[in-house]
Amino acid sequence: MRFSGTPPSLSDYGEVLKPDEAMQPILAKPVRDALTEWLTEIWASEELAAVGLQPRRKAIFHGPPGTGKTTLAHHLAARLGLPLAALRPDRVISSYVGESNQNIGRVFDAAIAEGPVVLLFDEFEVYGQKRIAVRQSADQHHNGVVDTMLQRFDAHDGYVIAASNLSEELDPALWRRFDIRVSIDLPGPSERRRIVQRYIAPYGLPKDALRVMGEALEGASPALMRQLCEGIKRQIVLGDRLGLDMSKAAVVDRVIAAIQPQKGTALPRLWSHKSKDRAAEAMPWPLPRADEIGREAEPGAVDRGALVVSIDRGRG
């Protein structure tokens, strides 16, 4: 990306998300408490300074794709009342020698000029893959990107979050720069039920049907479950207009055929059995509205999104 005239801004390298656009994630209580602890230490910066400490400001979220790493980063930024600059690696990393390093520098300079802001480096393995022995110019270019990231991380006193699906490929020196390491795992049974409740709204499932659906979605990411629910709702709205077979089996099979799990990830049971799965058989049809079912929702089901995470504190 080449610039002339006005200095580049963060929006040139990604999307700047406002605090009021953030979603409330669903978190297991121990994890929610740990994240609250992190926010509390940020808010208690003066008290920490009195005992010679500073709030931790750099975190990495790592785990399977589609588990909501960006959602969590946006939520944390919103809790701090700050925008989130979700940086896109294709706008930062360039094939031109030396330009990636310049772009990284411009990102951090823009964060200072436009801040305060939380920087999110999505697909962080693109920036921080382990350095390698130099055999060709591409190797030197890659190592230079890692070196630049290390230098700018050390010099930057703002908030930085990295998101990676491949944390094991990251350079150890970069990994050590993160004060907090958050492993975002696939959701458990309770979280899966709440995800379905969240995204199937304004429709709903009776308690027993919701339980069976949660079982059938074991191994699914929040993103895949959202696609499933939204696909069913889209069929309900458009099916008759398109002259489609609107029987439950036909709708379920069409939706599942159109959204496949990412290659290399688990195949949920519902994708194997489709409309013949007991979860599909237990689903009432036509789908009732949520307010017709009654208050069968689980505690916390009004929250939006879904994440299950564990936190590794401290520098390694």
Side-chain angles (χ1 to χ4, degrees):
M1 185 177 294
R2 300 177 182 278
F3 298 92
S4 60
T6 60
S9 67
L10 289 172
S11 60
D12 292 316
Y13 297 103
E15 186 178 4
V16 179
L17 306 175
K18 299 178 182 178
D20 59 5
E21 299 170 340
M23 297 176 67
Q24 174 72 37
I26 296 173
L27 302 171
K29 187 178 185 305
V31 176
R32 185 169 65 248
D33 291 345
L35 293 176
T36 299
E37 177 186 335
W38 183 25
L39 288 168
T40 302
E41 75 174 68
I42 293 172
W43 295 327
S45 57
E46 293 183 4
E47 292 89 335
L48 288 174
V51 295
L53 295 175
Q54 293 182 347
R56 293 167 292 177
R57 292 177 177 265
K58 296 179 177 66
I60 182 166
F61 300 163
H62 59 98
T67 49
K69 294 180 280 291
T70 300
T71 298
L72 180 56
H74 193 187
H75 169 69
L76 290 171
R79 291 289 301 273
L80 297 173
L82 300 176
L84 177 78
L87 305 166
R88 289 177 45 179
D90 61 302
R91 295 189 185 180
V92 179
I93 302 302
S94 170
S95 58
Y96 294 101
V97 175
E99 187 164 341
S100 298
N101 303 49
Q102 294 177 9
N103 288 343
I104 292 169
R106 289 170 180 147
V107 164
F108 281 97
D109 290 344
I112 295 172
E114 301 174 28
V117 62
V118 177
L119 292 177
L120 171 64
F121 287 90
D122 201 8
E123 299 180 56
F124 191 64
E125 60 274 7
V126 175
Y127 308 88
Q129 198 170 31
K130 294 174 184 176
R131 284 169 287 187
I132 54 180
V134 175
R135 295 185 176 87
Q136 52 188 351
S137 59
D139 300 334
Q140 187 172 1
H141 174 65
H142 166 72
N143 291 348
V145 169
V146 176
D147 291 339
T148 300
M149 291 295 293
L150 287 168
Q151 295 166 8
R152 297 308 301 236
F153 265 43
D154 289 341
H156 189 67
D157 61 0
Y159 299 106
V160 178
I161 297 175
S164 176
N165 302 331
L166 301 168
S167 60
E168 66 278 4
E169 296 186 5
L170 297 180
D171 191 271
L174 268 176
W175 178 260
R176 290 193 297 270
R177 291 311 194 270
F178 297 106
D179 306 301
I180 297 177
R181 300 149 197 160
V182 183
S183 176
I184 306 182
D185 303 314
L186 292 171
S190 176
E191 289 77 25
R192 290 196 296 271
R193 293 192 292 270
R194 285 189 266 172
I195 294 170
V196 172
Q197 285 181 314
R198 160 69 179 97
Y199 290 118
I200 204 66
Y203 303 101
L205 293 176
K207 188 174 182 179
D208 288 344
L210 184 63
R211 175 184 56 78
V212 179
M213 181 61 72
E215 295 170 355
L217 291 172
E218 182 178 1
S221 69
L224 185 64
M225 286 183 276
R226 178 174 183 171
Q227 289 177 319
L228 173 69
C229 294
E230 292 183 348
I232 292 173
K233 292 192 296 184
R234 197 170 285 112
Q235 290 279 317
I236 292 172
V237 173
L238 301 177
D240 286 337
R241 297 186 183 187
L242 295 172
L244 300 175
D245 180 353
M246 289 304 295
S247 66
K248 178 171 64 174
V251 169
V252 170
D253 288 343
R254 280 199 303 270
V255 171
I256 290 177
I259 50 170
Q260 294 299 310
Q262 185 167 336
K263 188 176 180 180
T265 61
L267 185 70
R269 194 188 76 204
L270 185 63
W271 266 254
S272 298
H273 299 163
K274 302 180 177 64
S275 61
K276 298 185 184 304
D277 191 277
R278 60 180 180 271
E281 293 174 348
M283 184 172 64
W285 196 257
L287 277 181
R289 307 282 289 196
D291 55 8
E292 297 172 356
I293 296 174
R295 301 185 63 81
E296 292 184 320
E298 299 180 22
V302 295
D303 291 338
R304 296 180 296 168
L307 301 169
V308 181
V309 305
S310 58
I311 291 185
D312 170 19
R313 298 180 178 82
R315 298 286 282 267

